[in-house]
Amino acid sequence: MISDGFIQSSIRKQQQIVTKLQRFNMTWFPKLAVLLAASLVLFIVFFIWRDSELDAFTDIGKFIAYLFHFPGLDDDLSQVAGELTSDRLLGGLLSPNFTRRSCLSRYQSISYRKSSRHEPSSYLISRLREYERLHKRCGPYAESYKKSIKEMVSGRIDSSSACRYVVWVAKCGLGNRMLSITSAFLYALLTNRVLLIYEEADMANVFCEPFPDTTWLLPKDFPFNYRLSRFKQKYAKSFGNTLKNNNNKISVSTEQLPSHLYLYLSHDYSHHDKLFFCDQDQIVLRNIPWLIIKSDVYFLPSLFLMPSFEEELSKLFPDKETVFHHLGRYLFHPSNQVWTLITSYYKKYLAEAEERIGIQIRIFDKKTSPFQQVMDQILTCTFKEKLLPQVDMGKSIVAPSGKGKSKAVLLTSLIPSYYEKLKDMYLKHPTLNGEVINVYQPSHEEKQRSTNNVHNQKALAEINLLSMMDVLVTSAWSTFGYVAQGLAGKKPLILYKIEDKKIPNPVCGRAVSLEPCFHSPPIYDCKAKREVDTATIVPYLRHCEDIHWGIKLFNGT
């Protein structure tokens, strides 16, 4: 027979177990619930950054709200999803119709480059989506493309065709290529043409495809491929030479128009080539299905001189200083191979610094710009602008203190001398303000090798690394620097060009506009038919800060 004492003891043990369970539920169940919710949110963030659409994010948010009875959580998550997607798509510039793995840099660059303060216009976004549909419909391997190729070969023109083309051909280093491609793309956008890139071996696997579900690469079986690389300024069938040989006229009769025409828009182009920027000649070009452009310059600013494009350009770019900033980030995404170079270098050397400074050095003539003068100019500028601290040359560093603010300096140059001098100075001597300075240079190729594929991949990696810095110092005249500042959306300090071994005064100055400079603009007024300073025609075109004869886009009057 069970005793009363045993029963009471059992009851007490049961009560203790119940109490412990209640305490466990009160203490741990909320934590488990929060952990589960956090895990789901992490899954959602991973999902959206992988390949997801906004609707999937919102639906899972509603599920969490239902499961845990969190009122309003679905609305909050929807808002967060919209913000994440907007940042990932650069404010709507980029199409969401790509998988993440096809081009990692397209959606990951926002994690390395600070969010832009410059929003693209809604009209630009809508026109880019329209262009993508046109490119898919008329691009390589589409039926419309095949039909147009046959007509080009036969010399016939189908005036009813909605598909017309601009073929871009390179003649330059990578910075110049990116600027001239951007110019050609804006021209294609303004004239409802499809841009195709003639890619040679030196550009393979440098960029991702910028347009969804199609390619911007000219197919290898293009009928006149063998002519493209040999196309030069004196080519008889170019636009300029056709005008020159026919009293400045090209027949407007469809029967007499050529099915394709070469446009030479490089730095050494002639007066007749420059008539491309006249509205009356654009009327003729409008009816030619295939235009083949060879260019090494940022000719885009001169499109703003043409009355026929004025209204459209105003709607596309109400902020005139952000044309390349928006189009450059839309078009140029490093290939996965190049992106791996960029991110691995950034994580290894730059990520932990409290401030990152990019210094881009381009020497055009070693005789007129000797090493010591350039080095003195760099130090004078960076000390004066308080980007870098001075050092106590009378003392040596015994052991790194690691106590002051850490700054990483990314120096890009074809030669290693500037890096070695700057690195040694901060490695051997203490700074006056206690800051810790580390200097890095990703490569030093000694000379430009624009026809080398690996060289171009490294160049793109360094341009992108520069664009990820907090502050930029660039060299005058350098298209490499122009591209970096444009992608970054930052106005750099410009190291003015040294002439005749004399350091300029001032040594450097802040850029007034984000835009690159057009080094060789036309000097012809198409209406008045006389030479003119084209920087005086419209209020948003002025001379460049670094080249007094060049022109660039500015805001204001």
mmCIF file of all heavy atoms in Angstrom, residues 455-500:
data_model
loop_
_atom_site.group_PDB
_atom_site.id
_atom_site.type_symbol
_atom_site.label_atom_id
_atom_site.label_comp_id
_atom_site.label_asym_id
_atom_site.label_seq_id
_atom_site.Cartn_x
_atom_site.Cartn_y
_atom_site.Cartn_z
ATOM 1 N N HIS A 455 45.948 43.059 -69.400
ATOM 2 C CA HIS A 455 46.173 44.465 -69.055
ATOM 3 C C HIS A 455 44.848 45.202 -68.921
ATOM 4 O O HIS A 455 44.639 45.977 -67.969
ATOM 5 C CB HIS A 455 47.033 45.131 -70.138
ATOM 6 C CG HIS A 455 47.258 46.600 -69.915
ATOM 7 N ND1 HIS A 455 48.310 47.096 -69.172
ATOM 8 C CD2 HIS A 455 46.552 47.688 -70.328
ATOM 9 C CE1 HIS A 455 48.247 48.407 -69.149
ATOM 10 N NE2 HIS A 455 47.194 48.798 -69.835
ATOM 11 N N ASN A 456 43.914 44.973 -69.844
ATOM 12 C CA ASN A 456 42.620 45.648 -69.796
ATOM 13 C C ASN A 456 41.781 45.177 -68.608
ATOM 14 O O ASN A 456 41.044 45.966 -68.013
ATOM 15 C CB ASN A 456 41.862 45.432 -71.104
ATOM 16 C CG ASN A 456 42.458 46.233 -72.256
ATOM 17 O OD1 ASN A 456 43.005 47.314 -72.043
ATOM 18 N ND2 ASN A 456 42.375 45.707 -73.460
ATOM 19 N N GLN A 457 41.894 43.908 -68.260
ATOM 20 C CA GLN A 457 41.182 43.420 -67.072
ATOM 21 C C GLN A 457 41.718 44.095 -65.807
ATOM 22 O O GLN A 457 40.949 44.505 -64.932
ATOM 23 C CB GLN A 457 41.305 41.899 -66.969
ATOM 24 C CG GLN A 457 40.526 41.146 -68.041
ATOM 25 C CD GLN A 457 40.523 39.645 -67.809
ATOM 26 O OE1 GLN A 457 41.092 39.154 -66.847
ATOM 27 N NE2 GLN A 457 39.865 38.914 -68.693
ATOM 28 N N LYS A 458 43.037 44.202 -65.710
ATOM 29 C CA LYS A 458 43.638 44.872 -64.553
ATOM 30 C C LYS A 458 43.239 46.346 -64.509
ATOM 31 O O LYS A 458 42.971 46.905 -63.432
ATOM 32 C CB LYS A 458 45.166 44.762 -64.603
ATOM 33 C CG LYS A 458 45.710 43.370 -64.340
ATOM 34 C CD LYS A 458 47.232 43.383 -64.425
ATOM 35 C CE LYS A 458 47.821 42.005 -64.184
ATOM 36 N NZ LYS A 458 49.304 42.031 -64.316
ATOM 37 N N ALA A 459 43.213 46.978 -65.682
ATOM 38 C CA ALA A 459 42.843 48.399 -65.746
ATOM 39 C C ALA A 459 41.417 48.611 -65.249
ATOM 40 O O ALA A 459 41.153 49.532 -64.470
ATOM 41 C CB ALA A 459 42.989 48.914 -67.178
ATOM 42 N N LEU A 460 40.498 47.744 -65.669
ATOM 43 C CA LEU A 460 39.117 47.873 -65.214
ATOM 44 C C LEU A 460 39.016 47.634 -63.711
ATOM 45 O O LEU A 460 38.257 48.319 -63.012
ATOM 46 C CB LEU A 460 38.206 46.904 -65.966
ATOM 47 C CG LEU A 460 36.714 47.009 -65.605
ATOM 48 C CD1 LEU A 460 36.176 48.395 -65.923
ATOM 49 C CD2 LEU A 460 35.900 45.946 -66.338
ATOM 50 N N ALA A 461 39.781 46.676 -63.209
ATOM 51 C CA ALA A 461 39.779 46.414 -61.764
ATOM 52 C C ALA A 461 40.234 47.653 -60.995
ATOM 53 O O ALA A 461 39.621 48.042 -59.991
ATOM 54 C CB ALA A 461 40.684 45.221 -61.447
ATOM 55 N N GLU A 462 41.271 48.327 -61.478
ATOM 56 C CA GLU A 462 41.805 49.492 -60.771
ATOM 57 C C GLU A 462 40.872 50.696 -60.882
ATOM 58 O O GLU A 462 40.740 51.480 -59.929
ATOM 59 C CB GLU A 462 43.212 49.810 -61.276
ATOM 60 C CG GLU A 462 44.202 48.725 -60.901
ATOM 61 C CD GLU A 462 45.643 49.045 -61.269
ATOM 62 O OE1 GLU A 462 45.935 50.238 -61.516
ATOM 63 O OE2 GLU A 462 46.465 48.116 -61.286
ATOM 64 N N ILE A 463 40.230 50.863 -62.033
ATOM 65 C CA ILE A 463 39.233 51.930 -62.174
ATOM 66 C C ILE A 463 38.124 51.750 -61.144
ATOM 67 O O ILE A 463 37.705 52.702 -60.470
ATOM 68 C CB ILE A 463 38.647 51.949 -63.600
ATOM 69 C CG1 ILE A 463 39.653 52.536 -64.588
ATOM 70 C CG2 ILE A 463 37.339 52.740 -63.650
ATOM 71 C CD1 ILE A 463 39.228 52.442 -66.043
ATOM 72 N N ASN A 464 37.644 50.519 -60.993
ATOM 73 C CA ASN A 464 36.565 50.246 -60.048
ATOM 74 C C ASN A 464 37.031 50.394 -58.601
ATOM 75 O O ASN A 464 36.288 50.905 -57.756
ATOM 76 C CB ASN A 464 35.989 48.857 -60.293
ATOM 77 C CG ASN A 464 34.939 48.854 -61.384
ATOM 78 O OD1 ASN A 464 33.750 49.001 -61.123
ATOM 79 N ND2 ASN A 464 35.372 48.715 -62.621
ATOM 80 N N LEU A 465 38.245 49.960 -58.299
ATOM 81 C CA LEU A 465 38.771 50.147 -56.947
ATOM 82 C C LEU A 465 38.868 51.637 -56.608
ATOM 83 O O LEU A 465 38.504 52.057 -55.500
ATOM 84 C CB LEU A 465 40.140 49.478 -56.816
ATOM 85 C CG LEU A 465 40.132 47.952 -56.680
ATOM 86 C CD1 LEU A 465 41.535 47.385 -56.862
ATOM 87 C CD2 LEU A 465 39.555 47.515 -55.333
ATOM 88 N N LEU A 466 39.336 52.440 -57.547
ATOM 89 C CA LEU A 466 39.389 53.886 -57.322
ATOM 90 C C LEU A 466 38.002 54.449 -57.039
ATOM 91 O O LEU A 466 37.823 55.309 -56.175
ATOM 92 C CB LEU A 466 39.988 54.599 -58.542
ATOM 93 C CG LEU A 466 41.500 54.542 -58.722
ATOM 94 C CD1 LEU A 466 41.893 55.099 -60.082
ATOM 95 C CD2 LEU A 466 42.214 55.317 -57.615
ATOM 96 N N SER A 467 37.004 53.943 -57.766
ATOM 97 C CA SER A 467 35.642 54.459 -57.600
ATOM 98 C C SER A 467 35.044 54.092 -56.247
ATOM 99 O O SER A 467 34.010 54.642 -55.856
ATOM 100 C CB SER A 467 34.741 53.938 -58.723
ATOM 101 O OG SER A 467 34.374 52.578 -58.521
ATOM 102 N N MET A 468 35.672 53.163 -55.524
ATOM 103 C CA MET A 468 35.189 52.746 -54.202
ATOM 104 C C MET A 468 35.832 53.537 -53.068
ATOM 105 O O MET A 468 35.484 53.345 -51.904
ATOM 106 C CB MET A 468 35.481 51.247 -54.004
ATOM 107 C CG MET A 468 34.737 50.345 -54.961
ATOM 108 S SD MET A 468 35.362 48.649 -54.864
ATOM 109 C CE MET A 468 34.339 47.835 -56.107
ATOM 110 N N MET A 469 36.748 54.440 -53.393
ATOM 111 C CA MET A 469 37.437 55.208 -52.360
ATOM 112 C C MET A 469 36.560 56.342 -51.842
ATOM 113 O O MET A 469 35.666 56.819 -52.517
ATOM 114 C CB MET A 469 38.752 55.767 -52.915
ATOM 115 C CG MET A 469 39.737 54.696 -53.406
ATOM 116 S SD MET A 469 40.272 53.528 -52.130
ATOM 117 C CE MET A 469 39.206 52.122 -52.454
ATOM 118 N N ASP A 470 36.869 56.791 -50.627
ATOM 119 C CA ASP A 470 36.118 57.888 -50.020
ATOM 120 C C ASP A 470 36.481 59.233 -50.641
ATOM 121 O O ASP A 470 35.646 60.131 -50.738
ATOM 122 C CB ASP A 470 36.387 57.940 -48.511
ATOM 123 C CG ASP A 470 35.972 56.650 -47.815
ATOM 124 O OD1 ASP A 470 34.835 56.200 -48.040
ATOM 125 O OD2 ASP A 470 36.786 56.084 -47.062
ATOM 126 N N VAL A 471 37.742 59.368 -51.038
ATOM 127 C CA VAL A 471 38.244 60.614 -51.622
ATOM 128 C C VAL A 471 39.086 60.249 -52.840
ATOM 129 O O VAL A 471 39.790 59.236 -52.832
ATOM 130 C CB VAL A 471 39.120 61.397 -50.609
ATOM 131 C CG1 VAL A 471 39.527 62.742 -51.183
ATOM 132 C CG2 VAL A 471 38.380 61.597 -49.297
ATOM 133 N N LEU A 472 39.046 61.094 -53.860
ATOM 134 C CA LEU A 472 39.804 60.832 -55.080
ATOM 135 C C LEU A 472 40.727 62.004 -55.425
ATOM 136 O O LEU A 472 40.329 63.172 -55.337
ATOM 137 C CB LEU A 472 38.859 60.603 -56.262
ATOM 138 C CG LEU A 472 38.319 59.193 -56.492
ATOM 139 C CD1 LEU A 472 37.381 59.189 -57.688
ATOM 140 C CD2 LEU A 472 39.450 58.200 -56.720
ATOM 141 N N VAL A 473 41.936 61.661 -55.849
ATOM 142 C CA VAL A 473 42.877 62.613 -56.442
ATOM 143 C C VAL A 473 43.241 62.045 -57.802
ATOM 144 O O VAL A 473 43.722 60.902 -57.896
ATOM 145 C CB VAL A 473 44.143 62.787 -55.571
ATOM 146 C CG1 VAL A 473 45.087 63.797 -56.209
ATOM 147 C CG2 VAL A 473 43.784 63.196 -54.153
ATOM 148 N N THR A 474 42.999 62.809 -58.865
ATOM 149 C CA THR A 474 43.241 62.293 -60.218
ATOM 150 C C THR A 474 44.182 63.214 -60.991
ATOM 151 O O THR A 474 44.417 64.359 -60.598
ATOM 152 C CB THR A 474 41.918 62.154 -60.999
ATOM 153 O OG1 THR A 474 41.313 63.449 -61.130
ATOM 154 C CG2 THR A 474 40.949 61.227 -60.284
ATOM 155 N N SER A 475 44.681 62.695 -62.094
ATOM 156 C CA SER A 475 45.596 63.458 -62.936
ATOM 157 C C SER A 475 44.847 64.173 -64.047
ATOM 158 O O SER A 475 43.910 63.615 -64.642
ATOM 159 C CB SER A 475 46.643 62.529 -63.566
ATOM 160 O OG SER A 475 47.463 61.959 -62.574
ATOM 161 N N ALA A 476 45.253 65.390 -64.333
ATOM 162 C CA ALA A 476 44.669 66.155 -65.432
ATOM 163 C C ALA A 476 44.814 65.384 -66.748
ATOM 164 O O ALA A 476 45.783 64.644 -66.945
ATOM 165 C CB ALA A 476 45.356 67.511 -65.558
ATOM 166 N N TRP A 477 43.833 65.538 -67.605
ATOM 167 C CA TRP A 477 43.801 64.955 -68.950
ATOM 168 C C TRP A 477 43.510 63.456 -68.972
ATOM 169 O O TRP A 477 43.344 62.881 -70.050
ATOM 170 C CB TRP A 477 45.121 65.180 -69.699
ATOM 171 C CG TRP A 477 45.499 66.582 -69.987
ATOM 172 C CD1 TRP A 477 45.207 67.690 -69.265
ATOM 173 C CD2 TRP A 477 46.266 67.045 -71.102
ATOM 174 N NE1 TRP A 477 45.735 68.807 -69.831
ATOM 175 C CE2 TRP A 477 46.397 68.453 -70.970
ATOM 176 C CE3 TRP A 477 46.865 66.415 -72.189
ATOM 177 C CZ2 TRP A 477 47.101 69.233 -71.891
ATOM 178 C CZ3 TRP A 477 47.563 67.195 -73.105
ATOM 179 C CH2 TRP A 477 47.673 68.583 -72.964
ATOM 180 N N SER A 478 43.471 62.812 -67.827
ATOM 181 C CA SER A 478 43.407 61.347 -67.814
ATOM 182 C C SER A 478 41.977 60.829 -67.910
ATOM 183 O O SER A 478 41.146 61.087 -67.027
ATOM 184 C CB SER A 478 44.051 60.804 -66.534
ATOM 185 O OG SER A 478 43.862 59.402 -66.452
ATOM 186 N N THR A 479 41.698 60.056 -68.965
ATOM 187 C CA THR A 479 40.370 59.449 -69.108
ATOM 188 C C THR A 479 40.164 58.339 -68.076
ATOM 189 O O THR A 479 39.038 58.058 -67.675
ATOM 190 C CB THR A 479 40.194 58.873 -70.522
ATOM 191 O OG1 THR A 479 41.246 57.931 -70.801
ATOM 192 C CG2 THR A 479 40.233 59.982 -71.563
ATOM 193 N N PHE A 480 41.243 57.712 -67.636
ATOM 194 C CA PHE A 480 41.203 56.701 -66.570
ATOM 195 C C PHE A 480 40.579 57.321 -65.309
ATOM 196 O O PHE A 480 39.689 56.753 -64.681
ATOM 197 C CB PHE A 480 42.637 56.236 -66.295
ATOM 198 C CG PHE A 480 42.775 54.940 -65.545
ATOM 199 C CD1 PHE A 480 42.971 53.747 -66.219
ATOM 200 C CD2 PHE A 480 42.756 54.915 -64.157
ATOM 201 C CE1 PHE A 480 43.137 52.548 -65.527
ATOM 202 C CE2 PHE A 480 42.915 53.731 -63.456
ATOM 203 C CZ PHE A 480 43.110 52.545 -64.146
ATOM 204 N N GLY A 481 41.077 58.510 -64.959
ATOM 205 C CA GLY A 481 40.544 59.226 -63.811
ATOM 206 C C GLY A 481 39.120 59.691 -64.023
ATOM 207 O O GLY A 481 38.295 59.652 -63.104
ATOM 208 N N TYR A 482 38.808 60.140 -65.252
ATOM 209 C CA TYR A 482 37.437 60.580 -65.552
ATOM 210 C C TYR A 482 36.427 59.467 -65.282
ATOM 211 O O TYR A 482 35.361 59.693 -64.715
ATOM 212 C CB TYR A 482 37.307 60.981 -67.024
ATOM 213 C CG TYR A 482 38.064 62.210 -67.473
ATOM 214 C CD1 TYR A 482 38.313 62.425 -68.829
ATOM 215 C CD2 TYR A 482 38.527 63.160 -66.570
ATOM 216 C CE1 TYR A 482 38.988 63.549 -69.279
ATOM 217 C CE2 TYR A 482 39.221 64.285 -67.009
ATOM 218 C CZ TYR A 482 39.452 64.472 -68.365
ATOM 219 O OH TYR A 482 40.128 65.586 -68.800
ATOM 220 N N VAL A 483 36.769 58.261 -65.726
ATOM 221 C CA VAL A 483 35.838 57.139 -65.564
ATOM 222 C C VAL A 483 35.666 56.810 -64.082
ATOM 223 O O VAL A 483 34.546 56.589 -63.604
ATOM 224 C CB VAL A 483 36.318 55.900 -66.347
ATOM 225 C CG1 VAL A 483 35.419 54.702 -66.056
ATOM 226 C CG2 VAL A 483 36.325 56.189 -67.844
ATOM 227 N N ALA A 484 36.777 56.788 -63.329
ATOM 228 C CA ALA A 484 36.694 56.472 -61.899
ATOM 229 C C ALA A 484 35.815 57.476 -61.159
ATOM 230 O O ALA A 484 34.961 57.102 -60.350
ATOM 231 C CB ALA A 484 38.092 56.434 -61.292
ATOM 232 N N GLN A 485 36.007 58.773 -61.430
ATOM 233 C CA GLN A 485 35.209 59.791 -60.741
ATOM 234 C C GLN A 485 33.749 59.706 -61.144
ATOM 235 O O GLN A 485 32.837 59.919 -60.328
ATOM 236 C CB GLN A 485 35.752 61.195 -61.021
ATOM 237 C CG GLN A 485 35.420 61.746 -62.410
ATOM 238 C CD GLN A 485 36.121 63.035 -62.744
ATOM 239 O OE1 GLN A 485 37.332 63.155 -62.543
ATOM 240 N NE2 GLN A 485 35.396 63.996 -63.288
ATOM 241 N N GLY A 486 33.490 59.369 -62.430
ATOM 242 C CA GLY A 486 32.114 59.248 -62.895
ATOM 243 C C GLY A 486 31.383 58.093 -62.245
ATOM 244 O O GLY A 486 30.234 58.230 -61.817
ATOM 245 N N LEU A 487 32.034 56.944 -62.152
ATOM 246 C CA LEU A 487 31.413 55.788 -61.501
ATOM 247 C C LEU A 487 31.188 56.058 -60.012
ATOM 248 O O LEU A 487 30.189 55.636 -59.436
ATOM 249 C CB LEU A 487 32.286 54.542 -61.688
ATOM 250 C CG LEU A 487 32.455 54.029 -63.120
ATOM 251 C CD1 LEU A 487 33.388 52.828 -63.137
ATOM 252 C CD2 LEU A 487 31.118 53.660 -63.746
ATOM 253 N N ALA A 488 32.128 56.766 -59.394
ATOM 254 C CA ALA A 488 32.021 57.062 -57.963
ATOM 255 C C ALA A 488 30.971 58.121 -57.675
ATOM 256 O O ALA A 488 30.397 58.152 -56.586
ATOM 257 C CB ALA A 488 33.375 57.519 -57.424
ATOM 258 N N GLY A 489 30.742 59.009 -58.648
ATOM 259 C CA GLY A 489 29.853 60.142 -58.398
ATOM 260 C C GLY A 489 30.504 61.166 -57.486
ATOM 261 O O GLY A 489 29.836 61.855 -56.723
ATOM 262 N N LYS A 490 31.839 61.284 -57.578
ATOM 263 C CA LYS A 490 32.591 62.201 -56.726
ATOM 264 C C LYS A 490 33.373 63.202 -57.571
ATOM 265 O O LYS A 490 33.902 62.859 -58.635
ATOM 266 C CB LYS A 490 33.574 61.430 -55.842
ATOM 267 C CG LYS A 490 32.926 60.596 -54.753
ATOM 268 C CD LYS A 490 33.995 59.945 -53.880
ATOM 269 C CE LYS A 490 33.388 59.283 -52.649
ATOM 270 N NZ LYS A 490 32.551 58.128 -52.985
ATOM 271 N N LYS A 491 33.471 64.431 -57.060
ATOM 272 C CA LYS A 491 34.286 65.446 -57.714
ATOM 273 C C LYS A 491 35.703 65.357 -57.136
ATOM 274 O O LYS A 491 35.905 65.655 -55.951
ATOM 275 C CB LYS A 491 33.691 66.832 -57.489
ATOM 276 C CG LYS A 491 32.313 66.998 -58.121
ATOM 277 C CD LYS A 491 31.697 68.341 -57.797
ATOM 278 C CE LYS A 491 30.299 68.445 -58.405
ATOM 279 N NZ LYS A 491 29.633 69.735 -58.073
ATOM 280 N N PRO A 492 36.669 64.966 -57.936
ATOM 281 C CA PRO A 492 38.012 64.726 -57.388
ATOM 282 C C PRO A 492 38.820 66.005 -57.246
ATOM 283 O O PRO A 492 38.456 67.063 -57.771
ATOM 284 C CB PRO A 492 38.637 63.830 -58.461
ATOM 285 C CG PRO A 492 38.023 64.340 -59.733
ATOM 286 C CD PRO A 492 36.595 64.699 -59.372
ATOM 287 N N LEU A 493 39.925 65.885 -56.542
ATOM 288 C CA LEU A 493 40.974 66.891 -56.641
ATOM 289 C C LEU A 493 41.786 66.558 -57.884
ATOM 290 O O LEU A 493 42.203 65.409 -58.065
ATOM 291 C CB LEU A 493 41.873 66.864 -55.402
ATOM 292 C CG LEU A 493 41.296 67.522 -54.146
ATOM 293 C CD1 LEU A 493 42.115 67.132 -52.926
ATOM 294 C CD2 LEU A 493 41.273 69.038 -54.300
ATOM 295 N N ILE A 494 42.002 67.546 -58.737
ATOM 296 C CA ILE A 494 42.736 67.320 -59.986
ATOM 297 C C ILE A 494 44.163 67.835 -59.834
ATOM 298 O O ILE A 494 44.379 69.003 -59.480
ATOM 299 C CB ILE A 494 42.053 68.040 -61.168
ATOM 300 C CG1 ILE A 494 40.604 67.575 -61.327
ATOM 301 C CG2 ILE A 494 42.833 67.795 -62.463
ATOM 302 C CD1 ILE A 494 39.813 68.394 -62.341
ATOM 303 N N LEU A 495 45.137 66.963 -60.075
ATOM 304 C CA LEU A 495 46.535 67.380 -60.126
ATOM 305 C C LEU A 495 46.769 68.008 -61.497
ATOM 306 O O LEU A 495 46.749 67.313 -62.520
ATOM 307 C CB LEU A 495 47.458 66.175 -59.925
ATOM 308 C CG LEU A 495 47.390 65.471 -58.567
ATOM 309 C CD1 LEU A 495 48.125 64.142 -58.624
ATOM 310 C CD2 LEU A 495 47.949 66.366 -57.464
ATOM 311 N N TYR A 496 46.961 69.315 -61.521
ATOM 312 C CA TYR A 496 47.112 69.998 -62.800
ATOM 313 C C TYR A 496 48.396 69.569 -63.497
ATOM 314 O O TYR A 496 49.391 69.218 -62.848
ATOM 315 C CB TYR A 496 47.082 71.514 -62.601
ATOM 316 C CG TYR A 496 45.764 72.015 -62.043
ATOM 317 C CD1 TYR A 496 45.720 72.854 -60.932
ATOM 318 C CD2 TYR A 496 44.555 71.626 -62.622
ATOM 319 C CE1 TYR A 496 44.510 73.302 -60.417
ATOM 320 C CE2 TYR A 496 43.339 72.073 -62.118
ATOM 321 C CZ TYR A 496 43.319 72.898 -61.014
ATOM 322 O OH TYR A 496 42.121 73.339 -60.510
ATOM 323 N N LYS A 497 48.365 69.632 -64.812
ATOM 324 C CA LYS A 497 49.469 69.098 -65.616
ATOM 325 C C LYS A 497 50.737 69.938 -65.438
ATOM 326 O O LYS A 497 50.710 71.162 -65.496
ATOM 327 C CB LYS A 497 49.067 69.067 -67.090
ATOM 328 C CG LYS A 497 49.972 68.217 -67.966
ATOM 329 C CD LYS A 497 49.341 68.023 -69.335
ATOM 330 C CE LYS A 497 50.157 67.064 -70.180
ATOM 331 N NZ LYS A 497 51.465 67.599 -70.549
ATOM 332 N N ILE A 498 51.855 69.237 -65.212
ATOM 333 C CA ILE A 498 53.155 69.896 -65.129
ATOM 334 C C ILE A 498 53.654 70.173 -66.538
ATOM 335 O O ILE A 498 53.686 69.283 -67.390
ATOM 336 C CB ILE A 498 54.163 69.018 -64.362
ATOM 337 C CG1 ILE A 498 53.747 68.895 -62.892
ATOM 338 C CG2 ILE A 498 55.579 69.588 -64.473
ATOM 339 C CD1 ILE A 498 54.638 67.981 -62.073
ATOM 340 N N GLU A 499 54.023 71.405 -66.800
ATOM 341 C CA GLU A 499 54.545 71.798 -68.108
ATOM 342 C C GLU A 499 55.979 72.288 -67.949
ATOM 343 O O GLU A 499 56.282 73.077 -67.046
ATOM 344 C CB GLU A 499 53.686 72.921 -68.720
ATOM 345 C CG GLU A 499 52.215 72.558 -68.902
ATOM 346 C CD GLU A 499 51.966 71.666 -70.112
ATOM 347 O OE1 GLU A 499 52.940 71.338 -70.820
ATOM 348 O OE2 GLU A 499 50.793 71.301 -70.347
ATOM 349 N N ASP A 500 56.853 71.832 -68.834
ATOM 350 C CA ASP A 500 58.258 72.274 -68.844
ATOM 351 C C ASP A 500 58.921 72.151 -67.478
ATOM 352 O O ASP A 500 59.648 73.050 -67.022
ATOM 353 C CB ASP A 500 58.351 73.728 -69.334
ATOM 354 C CG ASP A 500 57.811 73.884 -70.740
ATOM 355 O OD1 ASP A 500 58.029 72.964 -71.550
ATOM 356 O OD2 ASP A 500 57.159 74.908 -71.012
#
